[in-house]
């Protein structure tokens, strides 16, 4: 059997980074190939190369025996590759049907056949088990529905190879099952499918083979049947996974409440939020995309203005109409988008760490004219304490790795003297080693009395650091897990609404 | 504290969220439409009523014809601008392009007859639009800067072409086009309605229109779905140039005498009617009908101020204020929609 798609020695470079270091891969008709690897391992880059969005520096892509040079996504699609991309590439102003057929409209002489477009779209969506009106603007859909539209769009083209980049990230249990059935059926029809997922159980459920990428290299390619989960994780990490030993204090009850949220109504989320976070406690917020937890953290930081309800910090009701007010009241947030909402890339690490420093304890002269010497000393202290790997305080923060950047930002939070710290996806784009460091730092911050709220889509992460975990689904709290019950299984289960009924004991 | 336990299943939660989101979208859409339409219709009706009631000779047949012809020329240029703004671009050179097209057309009419002259004028406009499009797509100059520069270049060219002297058009047949009428409606107005219908069809019903919305609404999506973004941009600028050319030919016919300094400041009027008509400066959907109504509105304002013997200086002030009003509506509208949809993309 010859391969439908052959990738040979593909190299891709970005300024300063070698994202793919010569990857070779082939896939046969009727095969479902799982593609796994950590964030930054090169999965997305490979997909962008196959999709024609990026042109590799070196290497070749052969489709059905014909060498291909994709100059645009149109080339790749014409050759027979269809991609379900991770970010939704949809035009909000267009209808569901128009989005599905965007780029390959059904037309006669340039005029769109509206009837056929609509019926074909409805058919495709029905195949996916959706009864969506094809005329609705895509901007009005829920995230899960938009994901389905994205999949319908990929299926609407004629293709030999289907690449699915985390297609289930925003889907619930029933939808995932349905999608898996579709993937299997497509494979039976002789399509080749590349399936990317972070959920390893998915890989084991539907993939025939697994390819593991690590640091831009293909480190393993094996039939799924020869692997088990720990072995696969070992391949991904390149070593046995280190675990962060979580010591749940459990006696958080005795201490005082630092952050109290009562019936906070957040725009776009159906139900008001209520929660308490105690001194020294790490509270996890879990839930799928669209669950409302991101809106909650943004509202607590004054980034979204709440429509009603009370937020109290240390027993005092505060008004949060802007981030500035939030910081003044002792709430600090590290955004999930570190690059554009966290670091100040053109400043050095010292300046980055000092920018939100609480200056109230400093003399007047120092507030107006900060002394470089003072700040350098302060930063040196911070660097040792937080194990930031940086040669000197003058280093531009943009040149650091994600993990070290995050440590600097945690230092910034520390110096702001905040009493409540909101962390959004604190280890996104951070390598495994630094992850453990960051967990320890979060714990340290909590031990100093800060109330920490961690919102994360990474269930193992929450299981590792949270003392207590609240799970949201479509804007509703569906579970609250505490102590020993904060496990990956419980979080994932509750996130998709499956074990919401079970609850847990105290 | 006890556990929060709910008996709702995942499917029910999803269904509830889906209903809410559909409802939210419907309301946002309603509000957007209301703002979009009232932004142009309310001023239109006010000006119409005030004009009829207060301005002497406002509804005299010669003034109505005059207003319709002016509105027609403005609307045709506005269609092209609508397209360019819908793809997140802007064309500041329409005034200069129109002047150059009008002067070349006038001179060719004198040497080769009205048909050839009109055709050449439109082609000149299209050519100038293509230059803008190439600058934007090939030389990668931002549309604002590219057309700001060509605004100056084209103006220089038309002044060089005319040598500063006016060109009198000899052909009576050519001059009659602007003043003739079909079934009692001035010919330029008929042309504007037909051209508007064609543009509306192209934007709403044709593949090109979908691509325009994609390029303006979400450029990344357009690239990823394999749309030739550059081709769409080039066509948009070319059509904007061509419509300036059509406007120029009609203007030459209306005036009978053209010189190198006609149509200065046209870009501001064109942008004003496009935005007032409900096309967002942030790109996306173009609103051709809105542009057409806004062109009528601006023609009424200009004519009313003229009839009231308001010095032309005040007309500049009025135009500027109108543009600011239109843009603030645009901003308010986007803010309203954002508020309605806020929080969906977590």
């Amino acid at each position: 059997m010859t391969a439908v798609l052959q990738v040979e020695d593909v190299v891709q470079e970005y300024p300063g980074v070698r994202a793919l270091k010569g990857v070779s891969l082939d896939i046969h008709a009727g095969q479902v190939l799982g593609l796994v690897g950590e964030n930054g391992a090169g999965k997305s880059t490979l997909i962008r190369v196959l999709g024609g969005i990026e042109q590799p520096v070196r290497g070749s892509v052969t489709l059905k025996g014909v060498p291909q040079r994709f100059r645009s996504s149109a080339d790749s699609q014409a050759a027979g590759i269809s991609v379900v991309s991770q970010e939704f590439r949809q035009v909000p102003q267009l209808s569901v049907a128009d989005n599905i057929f965007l780029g390959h409209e059904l037309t006669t002489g340039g005029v769109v056949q509206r009837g056929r477009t609509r019926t074909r779209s409805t058919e495709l969506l029905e195949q996916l088990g959706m009864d969506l009106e094809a005329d609705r603007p895509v901007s009005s859909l829920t995230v899960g529905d938009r994901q389905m539209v994205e999949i319908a769009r990929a299926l609407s083209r004629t293709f030999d190879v289907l690449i699915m980049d985390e297609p289930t990230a925003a889907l619930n249990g029933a939808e995932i099952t349905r999608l898996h059935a579709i993937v299997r059926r497509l494979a039976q029809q002789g399509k080749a499918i590349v399936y990317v997922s972070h959920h390893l159980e998915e890989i084991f459920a539907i993939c025939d083979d697994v390819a593991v990428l690590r640091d831009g290299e293909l480190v393993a390619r094996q039939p799924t049947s020869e692997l088990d989960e720990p072995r696969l994780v070992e391949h991904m990490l390149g070593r046995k996974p280190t675990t962060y030993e979580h010591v749940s204090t459990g006696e958080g009850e005795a201490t005082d409440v630092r952050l109290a949220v009562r019936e906070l109504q957040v725009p776009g989320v159906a139900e008001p939020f209520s929660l308490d976070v105690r001194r020294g406690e790490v509270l996890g917020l879990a839930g799928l995309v669209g669950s409302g937890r991101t809106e909650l953290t943004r509202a607590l930081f004054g980034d979204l203005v709440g429509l009603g309800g009370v937020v109290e910090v240390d027993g005092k009701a505060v008004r949060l109409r802007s981030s500035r007010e939030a910081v003044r009241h002792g709430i600090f947030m590290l955004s999930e988008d570190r690059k554009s909402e966290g670091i100040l890339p053109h400043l050095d690490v010292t300046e980055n760490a000092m920018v939100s420093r609480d200056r109230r304890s400093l003399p007047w002269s120092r507030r107006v004219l900060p002394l470089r010497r003072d700040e350098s000393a302060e930063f040196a202290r911070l660097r040792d304490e937080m194990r930031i790997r940086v040669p000197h305080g003058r280093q531009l923060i943009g040149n650091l790795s994600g993990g070290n950047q995050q440590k600097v930002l945690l230092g910034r939070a520390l110096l702001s003297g905040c009493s409540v710290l909101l962390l959004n996806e604190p280890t996104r784009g951070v390598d495994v080693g630094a992850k453990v460091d960051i967990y320890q730092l979060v714990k340290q911050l909590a031990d100093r009395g800060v109330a920490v709220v961690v919102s994360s889509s990474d269930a193992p992460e929450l299981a590792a650091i949270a003392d207590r975990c609240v799970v949201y689904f479509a804007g509703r709290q569906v579970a609250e897990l505490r102590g020993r019950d904060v496990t990956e299984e419980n979080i994932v289960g509750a996130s998709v609404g499956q074990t919401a009924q079970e609850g847990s004991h105290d | 504290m006890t556990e929060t336990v709910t008996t709702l299943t995942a499917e029910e939660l999803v269904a509830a969220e889906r209903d809410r989101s559909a409802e939210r979208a419907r309301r946002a859409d309603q509000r957007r439409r209301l703002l979009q339409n009232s932004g142009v219709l309310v001023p239109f009706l006010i000006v119409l009523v005030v004009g009829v009631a207060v301005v002497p000779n406002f509804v005299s047949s010669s003034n109505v014809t005059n207003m319709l012809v002016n509105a027609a020329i403005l609307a045709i240029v506005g269609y092209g601008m609508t397209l360019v703004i819908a793809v997140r671009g802007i064309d500041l050179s329409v005034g200069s392009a129109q002047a150059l097209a009008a002067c070349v057309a006038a001179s060719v009419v004198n040497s080769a007859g009205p048909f050839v002259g009109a055709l050449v004028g439109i082609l000149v406009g299209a050519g100038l639009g293509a230059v803008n499009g190439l600058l934007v797509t090939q030389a990668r100059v931002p549309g604002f800067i590219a057309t700001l520069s060509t605004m100056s270049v084209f103006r220089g060219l038309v002044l060089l072409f005319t040598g500063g002297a006016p060109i009198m058009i000899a052909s009576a047949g050519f001059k009659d086009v602007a003043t003739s009428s079909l079934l009692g409606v001035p010919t330029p107005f008929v042309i504007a309605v037909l051209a508007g219908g064609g543009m509306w069809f192209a934007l709403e019903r044709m593949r090109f229109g979908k691509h325009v919305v994609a390029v303006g609404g979400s450029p990344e999506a357009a690239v990823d779905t394999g749309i030739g973004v550059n081709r769409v941009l080039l066509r948009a600028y070319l059509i904007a140039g061509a419509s300036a050319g059509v406007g120029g030919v009609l203007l030459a016919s209306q005036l009978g005498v053209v010189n190198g300094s006609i149509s200065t400041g046209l870009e501001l009027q064109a942008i004003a009617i496009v935005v007032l008509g409900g096309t967002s400066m942030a790109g996306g959907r173009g609103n051709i009908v809105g542009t057409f109504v806004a062109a009528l509105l601006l023609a009424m304002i200009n004519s009313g101020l003229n009839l009231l013997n308001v010095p032309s200086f005040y007309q500049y002030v009025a135009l500027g204020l109108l543009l600011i009003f239109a843009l603030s509506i645009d901003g308010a509208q986007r803010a309203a929609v954002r508020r309605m949809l806020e929080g969906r993309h977590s």
Side-chain angles (χ1 to χ4, degrees), chain B residues 70-90:
Chain B
N70 287 341
I73 294 173
L74 195 54
I76 290 169
V77 177
Y79 300 152
M81 187 69 88
T82 306
L83 200 54
V84 173
I85 288 180
V87 295
R88 292 197 186 177
I90 194 142

Side-chain angles (χ1 to χ4, degrees), chain B residues 263-286:
Chain B
S263 304
T264 40
L266 177 68
E267 58 285 341
L268 203 59
Q269 300 188 28
I271 294 167
I273 61 167
V274 170
V275 178
L276 199 59
T279 303
S280 170
M281 289 297 279
R285 239 180 228 293

Side-chain angles (χ1 to χ4, degrees), chain A residues 96-393:
Chain A
V96 169
D98 283 339
N99 264 292
I100 289 177
F101 284 95
L102 189 65
H104 60 289
E105 293 80 2
L106 306 167
T107 57
T108 35
V111 181
V112 175
Q113 302 170 333
R114 296 206 295 159
R116 255 189 82 208
T117 304
R118 208 176 300 136
T119 39
R120 284 277 292 125
S121 307
T122 313
E123 274 169 32
L124 281 164
L125 289 167
E126 267 169 16
Q127 198 185 333
L128 292 167
M130 307 273 300
D131 58 337
L132 265 184
E133 291 157 54
D135 285 335
R136 263 174 69 181
V138 96
S139 60
S140 75
L141 302 184
T142 59
V143 183
D145 289 354
R146 294 183 71 171
Q147 176 82 70
M148 283 300 195
V149 170
E150 194 72 27
I151 295 168
R153 167 195 278 178
L155 297 181
S156 71
R157 301 173 181 274
T158 43
F159 60 86
D160 298 301
V161 180
L162 178 65
I163 300 175
M164 308 182 97
D165 192 357
E166 298 200 36
T168 53
L171 301 185
N172 68 23
E175 290 169 331
I176 292 173
T177 316
R178 213 176 291 130
L179 183 68
H180 285 177
I182 290 166
V183 169
R184 282 197 204 96
R185 201 175 63 222
L186 288 170
Q188 274 162 16
Q189 290 167 4
K191 311 285 187 196
I193 293 151
V194 179
Y195 197 95
V196 180
S197 179
H198 275 305
H199 301 293
L200 298 183
E201 66 279 4
E202 263 196 299
I203 299 287
F204 285 101
I206 58 165
C207 296
D208 307 311
D209 267 30
V210 196
V212 185
L213 284 178
R214 191 202 314 145
D215 294 332
E217 279 172 293
L218 184 74
V219 292
R221 165 70 194 262
Q222 276 176 309
T224 323
S225 50
E226 294 174 13
L227 279 168
D228 54 14
E229 224 171 284
R231 291 247 297 285
L232 187 53
V233 173
E234 217 178 304
H235 278 312
M236 287 165 65
L237 301 181
R239 56 182 160 78
K240 292 245 184 251
T242 43
T243 45
Y244 165 72
E245 277 304 310
H246 179 56
V247 195
S248 184
T249 43
E251 61 242 28
E253 308 292 325
T255 57
D256 46 344
V257 172
R258 293 213 88 167
L259 174 71
V261 180
R262 294 279 167 272
E263 300 286 314
L264 178 67
Q265 189 84 50
V266 179
V269 181
E271 292 200 352
F273 290 100
S274 292
L275 46 86
D276 285 323
V277 194
R278 290 161 195 284
R279 175 182 293 276
E281 187 182 34
V282 180
L283 173 73
L285 303 181
L288 299 176
V289 179
S291 60
R293 59 184 164 82
T294 312
E295 288 76 8
L296 172 62
T297 52
R298 283 180 60 202
L300 288 177
F301 196 53
D303 196 18
L304 268 180
V305 179
L307 303 172
V310 184
V311 178
E312 288 177 8
V313 177
D314 291 329
K316 260 189 1 215
V318 294
R319 288 216 291 189
L320 302 168
R321 282 166 311 179
S322 68
S323 311
R324 212 180 132 78
E325 277 186 320
V327 173
R328 211 170 52 220
H329 293 305
I331 303 177
F332 204 79
M333 176 163 94
L334 298 191
S335 155
E336 57 195 319
D337 190 356
R338 188 163 53 237
K339 215 173 247 161
S340 62
E341 294 180 1
I343 61 168
L344 303 164
H346 301 294
L347 297 182
D348 64 37
V349 282
T350 308
E351 289 161 321
N352 263 286
M354 300 298 151
V355 70
S356 304
R357 189 179 177 190
D358 183 11
R359 298 178 197 279
R360 270 173 293 190
S361 58
L362 297 174
W364 252 108
S365 58
R366 289 286 160 277
R367 290 193 215 178
V368 186
L369 283 174
L371 260 195
R372 185 76 206 184
R373 192 156 36 90
D374 275 6
E375 299 204 329
S376 297
E378 188 79 20
F379 181 76
R381 212 167 51 73
L382 206 61
R383 185 175 65 176
D384 297 340
E385 206 175 305
M386 313 198 96
R387 272 168 297 164
I388 305 170
R389 261 173 247 132
V390 51
H392 51 82

